[in-house]
Amino acid sequence: MTIDLPLLPLGRGVDLSAERGVECPGDLPAASDPDLVARALAAKEALGERVFVLGHHYQRDEVIQFADVTGDSFKLAREAAARPDAEFIVFCGVHFMAESADILTSDTQQVILPDLAAGCSMADMARLSQVEDAWDALVDAGIADSVVPVTYMNSSADIKAFCGRNGGAVCTSSNAETALEWAFDQKGGVEAGAKVLFFPDQHLGRNTAVLKMGLSLDDCVVWDPHRPHGGLTVEQLRDATMILWKGHCSVHGRFTATVVDELRATLPDVQILVHPECTHDVVLKADLVGSTEFIIQTIEAAPAGSTWAIGTELNLVKRLAAAHPDKHIAFLDKTVCYCSTMNRIDLPHFVWAMESLVAGTVPNRIEVDPETKQWALVALQRMLDLPGRSHKD
Ligand code: 13P
Ligand code: SF4
């Protein structure tokens, strides 16, 4: 049995597609074309082993059905790296994921994002020039030598390259704790005064630092790139252990502690399961917190009849509810919407990309320049080399 999921509007997220110059070239098939599924199947069959389709868990059902592998951003990065024979990687996800796939695959492989407007509002909240300004402030404060930059996977390739160049690493929601431990160790540990500059998601950084690493909220400060000197004094920077970037996910940031309280009042047996991109007060009230892979595994392992409210992207929650009719699964909020940029990849764009490949044209190739690639790979490789995982994938 499922608990009714609200039908919600699409929306939210900063759409920087105009800035990226991302008009879709060529003719998109009409969404009403009744043959779209057959056309996608035919194109996939025609391309055979030459193409490998990756699908993030937040993708629409109409697209995810064509994925050779589904996963969270960490799993998909590893899957891309593990397919050296596929000439084309069609990435059904968002721009930063396709960039990471390009960085992790060989120069003979081509990564395609079916709609270039599929960006990520969180990734867009940290620009390289802003991060360099923050770093300059740390240098001026005399503390840069104690700071390791760690960027969430949800960031552009040039931010990952910045971390590679400056002794830092990438992390994802499923290995943030291990990545932070590694980062503090690079400078002799927290007791020795080691600090982390963490971007772009303040919530993942704070939740991991406080709930997994035993730091206090007072150990964390927030650098606001839109305020002079990040809105912080030199003393605040020197006293902090975690310098969090003022960025957030426009989807996960909308879940509220009030709705958690309301659900607990109406469904006494409910277990609250949320993604660590949710705000700290929501995570504090949750029963379980973890990446999308963790959320999926938790629901798969849950006993029949158990009741859950899940705080993550709606496409995934609806799919979990449909796949587990023996469990009661609700969305954690009445008003939170889909990730609008993830939803840009729809069946017409997928068919258009696949048929273009069949016709011998490579559409919407995501190609990171060689120097950025070299340094971003350093940061990504440091993540891939981290020991263990905080959950099995
Ligand atoms: P993960 O895929 O790492 O769980 O991150 C969630 C997300 O917001 C992806 O954009
Ligand atoms: Fe970005 Fe959030 Fe959408 Fe993920 S869910 S792509 S972090 S806006």
Side-chain angles (χ1 to χ4, degrees), residues 56 58 72-74 94 96-97 152 154 172-173 252 275 277 291-292 342:
H56 190 273
Y58 299 169
D72 64 3
S73 48
F74 181 86
V94 290
F96 71 81
M97 298 177 184
Y152 191 21
N154 302 22
T172 71
S173 54
H252 292 92
H275 194 281
E277 287 173 16
S291 72
T292 46
M342 280 274 179

Side-chain angles (χ1 to χ4, degrees), residues 141-178:
I143 56 172
D145 285 347
S146 314
V147 181
V148 175
V150 176
T151 189
Y152 191 21
M153 182 69 111
N154 302 22
S155 57
S156 59
D158 56 6
I159 299 282
K160 293 184 176 84
F162 173 90
C163 289
R165 250 186 257 111
N166 289 285
V170 177
C171 77
T172 71
S173 54
S174 54
N175 60 17
E177 181 184 358
T178 321

Side-chain angles (χ1 to χ4, degrees), residues 97-349:
M97 298 177 184
E99 279 189 332
S100 298
D102 182 54
I103 293 162
L104 289 164
T105 50
S106 76
D107 291 344
T108 58
Q109 294 177 284
Q110 305 190 63
V111 177
I112 291 115
L113 184 65
D115 185 348
L116 291 179
C120 164
S121 53
M122 179 204 285
D124 291 335
M125 288 175 195
R127 306 299 186 89
L128 181 61
S129 60
Q130 296 173 322
V131 170
E132 286 173 341
D133 287 348
W135 193 255
D136 287 346
L138 300 180
V139 172
D140 292 345
I143 56 172
D145 285 347
S146 314
V147 181
V148 175
V150 176
T151 189
Y152 191 21
M153 182 69 111
N154 302 22
S155 57
S156 59
D158 56 6
I159 299 282
K160 293 184 176 84
F162 173 90
C163 289
R165 250 186 257 111
N166 289 285
V170 177
C171 77
T172 71
S173 54
S174 54
N175 60 17
E177 181 184 358
T178 321
L180 283 190
E181 274 166 11
W182 171 89
F184 286 122
D185 282 352
Q186 301 312 296
K187 301 290 178 183
V190 173
E191 303 72 26
K195 302 174 191 296
V196 166
L197 172 61
F198 189 91
F199 32 76
D201 185 14
Q202 60 169 304
H203 301 305
L204 177 66
R206 185 180 295 106
N207 288 329
T208 309
V210 174
L211 300 174
K212 306 271 186 173
M213 313 280 303
L215 297 180
S216 75
L217 286 175
D218 290 341
D219 294 321
C220 306
V221 292
V222 178
W223 177 276
D224 181 348
H226 300 292
R227 293 180 64 191
H229 207 262
L232 297 169
T233 63
V234 169
E235 287 66 37
Q236 283 173 312
L237 284 175
R238 288 187 184 144
D239 290 347
T241 301
M242 278 296 282
I243 303 162
L244 303 167
W245 194 261
K246 192 167 184 209
H248 66 276
C249 167
S250 44
V251 176
H252 292 92
R254 296 193 61 83
F255 297 107
T256 65
T258 310
V259 173
V260 175
D261 291 341
E262 283 169 12
L263 267 169
R264 289 208 193 277
T266 50
L267 298 168
D269 295 335
V270 72
Q271 295 185 72
I272 309 288
L273 173 57
V274 301
H275 194 281
E277 287 173 16
C278 294
T279 59
H280 191 58
D281 54 344
V282 169
V283 168
L284 277 179
K285 284 183 178 266
D287 297 294
L288 290 165
V289 54
S291 72
T292 46
E293 286 291 324
F294 174 82
I295 289 171
I296 292 166
Q297 289 164 16
T298 302
I299 294 300
E300 280 170 357
S306 54
T307 302
W308 297 87
I310 305 180
T312 192
E313 207 274 342
L314 187 53
N315 278 313
L316 174 60
V317 179
K318 286 169 84 171
R319 207 147 41 234
L320 284 171
H324 298 275
D326 58 328
K327 299 161 197 175
H328 310 282
I329 295 174
F331 193 47
L332 186 55
D333 197 61
K334 295 185 265 303
T335 54
V336 177
C337 58
Y338 299 93
C339 173
S340 60
T341 46
M342 280 274 179
N343 265 355
R344 298 290 301 227
I345 313 289
D346 56 10
L347 198 46
H349 282 88

